[in-house]
Amino acid sequence: MSDIIQLLPDHVANQIAAGEVVQRPASVVKELLENAVDAGATQINLVVKDAGKSLIQVVDDGLGMSMTDTRLAFERHATSKIKSAEDLFNLHTKGFRGEALASIAAVAQVQVKSKTEKADVGTSLQIEASRVKEQQACVTPKGTSIAVKNLFYNIPARRNFLKSDAVEQRHIIDEFQRVALAHPKVGFSYVHNSSELFHLKSANFRQRIVGILGAKTNEKLVPVEEQTDYIHLKGFIIKPEFAKKTRGEQFFFVNNRFIKSSYLHHAVNAAYEGLMRDKSIPSYFLYIDVDPKTVDINIHPTKTEIKFEDEHSIYAVMRSAIKHSLGQFQIAPALDFDRDTDFDTSYEQHKKPISNPTIQVNRDYNPFEVETPRKATSNFSNHKPIIPNAWESLYTDIQPQKDKVEHSSKFLNAPLENNLFQHEAISESIKCFQFNGKFIVADINDKLLVIDQHRAHSRILYEDLMKSITLDAAPCQQLLFPLEMEFSSADFQILTDVQEALVLIGFSFEKWEDNETLISGIPSHVKESDIAAMFDQLVADMRLGIPKNNFEQNDILAKSLAKNMAIKSGRILSTEEQHDLIHQLFTCKEPTKTATNQNIFINFAHQDLEHKLL
């Protein structure tokens, strides 16, 4: 039998290694930014075109490289960060494996210009698919400039698997923010398709967070700091009332390296216990400094997962420090026994319309008339106070009001094959009742239907929203006072992609720039108080859905908004509202399933019920 095992050529081995290191354009951005930080740069500029598919360029003012180092940097396992295996347990830098540049050069066209401070001229190097095309001296400023062009040009299959520019752009922004937050003393800028998205100057931790997430974030931050023999914890958490229902602003940094840890995330949630709404996720920016010998960061190709020597101690310190900060800055609720409750307005009374106060005047009173004390007393005692009409309403009107179902008054009216209504009169004569505040039980055409009211309304709204986006724009209800909202750059980019669709379903915007928006109008069936939570959920759904085209984008948008706007379980509905909901459900194109393919109702024939009773 002949020998069948052979050594792979270097360029093939580099392409295989690139599969772990270079997964998408954001992976290249991460590696190049971290190399620039390790080079001691004080200013790093990122330039991207077509979401990194055409160009990724990182320019820094760091130490630079000599001609020999420039060439060796692109060899496999070539690094200046470690010299022995023991150095792996004393790491203070980002990249140390020596695979990044070699892997990038294997799947792209790379041009490097670098110069040290003492050198008279710099070095220019061009590499394509791991092969050096040109190396020569050049005039360039101190530092390094690396341009990665046409990523995956020699591996079409990998390039075809890349997502849309909008999706890849979001991943790049995520990586940029992680590196920028980890190194606030370094200035960063980010330009995408000739448009500057970030311009961050050297700052402290708080200023860097505000620079990335917006000026309004400053008032939401609560500082956290704790020093022990094992760990130094510092950073900021967000006040509980600003907690979101989606992830995206949770950052852990261990020795200035971004990591992901569900265990430490649980410690943060435990500290917030009892202070947040259900299913809310707090935002945090926590920096952990520990001895490098007590952590292992070489357990994952992207180095975002690490292993602590004593993670239980870190858990306890983090939970305790956050609890202390919430109490120290009076974030946790407290009872005030000294407060005067005489000026409090009852919960039901504040719902009443405001009316002008009435003043009763004694028109017979003469201030110049001399009266004896006895007469004055007599006049006062004989004066009958005027009692306002319907004074009993102050007590009898305090009755809980049933919530009204809020939904669009106009829905699709196309004829349906599976419509259970034979004619309009049936919808008015059907017998139905609400069960457990969640289900509507109805007797329709000798069948007993159990309908989930939230899912039913969600289906109605979904079809209404899709109709507004694709056919007829929905009416807009103008707000008396416009609602101002601010988003992070990544979230604002996501919303920008669906701005046109938002306008079609009834939103109106006076301002849409600089990561801020001014909402002047909303759909008629949306509460103003629900807008913030609705947009947060929409951003999260768009991230998870990763739309590939406009149809998928509109579909995700309609699903997200319909789910948030639909009536919730536990809401009490009147008989008329139940009839209306049932009728509109069975005028939908698909009344049996939600947009996410969940059953809306189940039905029982009378014969089935009789059989079960046997």
Side-chain angles (χ1 to χ4, degrees):
M1 179 178 179
S2 61
D3 298 333
I4 59 174
I5 297 178
Q6 58 184 354
L7 292 175
L8 290 174
D10 288 341
H11 69 281
V12 177
N14 286 338
Q15 288 184 0
I16 296 174
E20 292 186 357
V21 180
V22 185
Q23 299 175 353
R24 58 189 344 135
S27 306
V28 177
V29 171
K30 173 182 181 294
E31 298 293 346
L32 297 184
L33 290 178
E34 290 182 345
N35 283 344
V37 170
D38 286 341
T42 59
Q43 179 65 41
I44 301 175
N45 302 323
L46 172 63
V47 179
V48 175
K49 289 185 179 180
D50 300 329
K53 299 175 183 177
S54 299
L55 173 67
I56 300 173
Q57 184 176 14
V58 174
V59 182
D60 66 72
D61 59 354
L63 298 176
M65 295 181 290
S66 65
M67 181 174 292
T68 303
D69 286 345
T70 304
R71 181 70 173 267
L72 287 176
F74 289 88
E75 297 294 331
R76 290 192 67 194
H77 306 305
T79 178
S80 61
K81 315 297 174 60
I82 60 175
K83 295 182 179 179
S84 63
E86 288 74 16
D87 293 339
L88 290 172
F89 300 97
N90 192 28
L91 291 171
H92 296 277
T93 58
K94 298 292 185 284
F96 57 86
R97 291 173 175 164
E99 296 178 356
L101 292 181
S103 299
I104 294 171
V107 293
Q109 299 168 335
V110 181
Q111 182 177 17
V112 185
K113 292 183 179 180
S114 186
K115 175 182 173 296
T116 60
E117 185 175 7
K118 296 181 180 180
D120 295 330
V121 294
T123 302
S124 175
L125 178 67
Q126 294 185 11
I127 302 178
E128 294 183 9
S130 299
R131 293 182 174 85
V132 176
K133 295 295 183 179
E134 183 182 78
Q135 183 174 5
Q136 61 183 1
C138 69
V139 177
T140 185
K142 170 182 170 288
T144 303
S145 171
I146 300 183
V148 179
K149 302 177 182 179
N150 302 321
L151 188 64
F152 300 131
Y153 80 100
N154 55 345
I155 310 179
R158 289 287 301 277
R159 191 175 180 89
N160 292 336
F161 273 98
L162 294 179
K163 304 298 182 181
S164 65
D165 286 358
V167 175
E168 297 299 339
Q169 166 72 347
R170 294 172 203 163
H171 287 287
I172 293 176
I173 291 178
D174 288 341
E175 294 295 347
F176 177 86
Q177 290 180 346
R178 292 167 182 174
V179 178
L181 285 170
H183 303 277
K185 298 298 182 183
V186 181
F188 287 87
S189 71
Y190 177 23
V191 177
H192 181 252
N193 290 344
S194 302
S195 177
E196 187 175 56
L197 302 182
F198 292 94
H199 185 78
L200 308 173
K201 298 181 180 179
S202 177
N204 55 34
F205 288 133
R206 190 183 196 110
Q207 292 169 338
R208 178 54 54 88
I209 295 172
V210 172
I212 289 179
L213 298 183
K216 291 188 176 180
T217 309
N218 188 41
E219 61 186 22
K220 305 176 185 178
L221 298 177
V222 177
V224 176
E225 185 163 8
E226 186 68 35
Q227 177 77 55
T228 68
D229 295 337
Y230 181 72
I231 177 180
H232 181 201
L233 174 67
K234 56 186 176 182
F236 297 90
I237 56 177
I238 296 291
K239 295 178 182 178
E241 59 265 30
F242 297 107
K244 301 180 179 180
K245 292 189 176 182
T246 58
R247 292 182 177 268
E249 296 178 359
Q250 292 76 36
F251 296 90
F252 285 120
F253 300 95
V254 175
N255 296 343
N256 293 331
R257 181 191 299 275
F258 172 79
I259 68 162
K260 298 178 181 178
S261 174
S262 57
Y263 185 69
L264 296 184
H265 177 74
H266 186 274
V268 178
N269 281 336
Y272 275 89
E273 185 176 2
L275 301 179
M276 299 185 304
R277 295 167 295 180
D278 292 340
K279 298 181 180 180
S280 295
I281 304 174
S283 300
Y284 49 80
F285 312 86
L286 298 174
Y287 301 81
I288 304 171
D289 290 329
V290 295
D291 188 345
K293 297 180 181 179
T294 63
V295 295
D296 184 4
I297 61 177
N298 197 25
I299 63 174
H300 193 273
T302 61
K303 299 187 284 292
T304 56
E305 298 178 9
I306 68 175
K307 189 174 183 180
F308 293 97
E309 186 178 82
D310 186 5
E311 60 183 2
H312 298 290
S313 297
I314 298 178
Y315 182 100
V317 170
M318 183 174 294
R319 181 175 179 271
S320 175
I322 294 176
K323 270 187 169 293
H324 177 72
S325 293
L326 291 173
Q328 181 182 5
F329 291 92
Q330 299 180 356
I331 303 301
L335 294 176
D336 185 1
F337 295 98
D338 298 328
R339 183 170 58 86
D340 189 356
T341 60
D342 293 340
F343 298 98
D344 290 350
T345 303
S346 68
Y347 178 76
E348 292 294 339
Q349 193 70 22
H350 86 280
K351 295 182 178 180
K352 293 182 174 295
I354 299 175
S355 59
N356 293 326
T358 58
I359 302 175
Q360 303 298 333
V361 180
N362 184 5
R363 300 184 182 277
D364 297 330
Y365 175 72
N366 184 0
F368 300 101
E369 182 179 355
V370 178
E371 299 176 339
T372 62
R374 184 179 183 84
K375 184 178 181 181
T377 303
S378 176
N379 287 341
F380 180 80
S381 60
N382 291 335
H383 176 70
K384 296 182 179 180
I386 300 177
I387 301 176
N389 295 328
W391 62 270
E392 298 90 348
S393 63
L394 294 175
Y395 302 95
T396 59
D397 284 355
I398 303 179
Q399 298 292 338
Q401 296 182 354
K402 294 183 179 181
D403 293 336
K404 301 296 183 182
V405 181
E406 297 182 4
H407 52 71
S408 176
S409 59
K410 182 180 180 182
F411 291 90
L412 301 177
N413 294 315
L416 305 173
E417 297 178 357
N418 52 358
N419 194 341
L420 298 183
F421 296 107
Q422 295 180 355
H423 50 79
E424 189 68 22
I426 297 181
S427 64
E428 300 178 358
S429 62
I430 62 173
K431 298 177 182 180
C432 64
F433 65 91
Q434 192 175 20
F435 174 70
N436 201 28
K438 182 177 181 180
F439 304 102
I440 297 175
V441 181
D443 182 7
I444 302 178
N445 291 349
D446 294 331
K447 289 187 177 181
L448 187 66
L449 267 66
V450 181
I451 305 170
D452 188 309
Q453 65 185 36
H454 172 73
R455 294 182 181 181
H457 196 206
S458 175
R459 180 72 211 186
I460 296 168
L461 291 174
Y462 170 77
E463 295 198 2
D464 187 36
L465 292 170
M466 288 299 291
K467 179 183 177 182
S468 299
I469 295 173
T470 57
L471 296 177
D472 301 323
C476 176
Q477 176 183 345
Q478 294 298 314
L479 297 176
L480 183 60
F481 301 101
L483 180 63
E484 184 178 359
M485 298 186 67
E486 184 177 15
F487 305 93
S488 65
S489 296
D491 293 349
F492 189 76
Q493 182 66 37
I494 293 175
L495 293 175
T496 300
D497 296 337
V498 296
Q499 180 187 4
E500 183 178 350
L502 290 173
V503 172
L504 292 175
I505 64 177
F507 285 95
S508 176
F509 303 97
E510 289 185 6
K511 177 184 178 182
W512 192 281
E513 58 185 5
D514 299 330
N515 297 344
E516 294 183 1
T517 178
L518 197 63
I519 303 176
S520 58
I522 60 177
S524 57
H525 44 276
V526 175
K527 291 183 179 179
E528 182 179 351
S529 58
D530 295 338
I531 296 297
M534 186 181 301
F535 274 63
D536 288 340
Q537 186 64 48
L538 174 60
V539 169
D541 292 339
M542 293 296 291
R543 282 184 173 178
L544 293 176
I546 311 180
K548 298 180 181 179
N549 49 52
N550 288 336
F551 176 80
E552 289 190 10
Q553 180 175 283
N554 295 336
D555 181 62
I556 295 173
L557 171 66
K559 288 178 181 176
S560 178
L561 295 182
K563 180 180 178 181
N564 280 274
M565 293 188 298
I567 55 177
K568 302 298 186 289
S569 297
R571 188 165 182 174
I572 305 302
L573 304 180
S574 66
T575 304
E576 293 78 9
E577 291 167 342
Q578 296 173 33
H579 284 169
D580 190 28
L581 190 66
I582 295 173
H583 174 65
Q584 293 182 76
L585 172 63
F586 288 102
T587 55
C588 291
K589 292 183 178 179
E590 180 51 70
T592 61
K593 298 283 186 179
T594 65
T596 55
N597 203 33
Q598 293 177 307
N599 291 326
I600 297 178
F601 63 85
I602 57 176
N603 63 83
F604 302 94
H606 290 182
Q607 296 83 352
D608 297 336
L609 294 177
E610 293 175 355
H611 179 72
K612 288 182 178 296
L613 293 174
L614 294 179

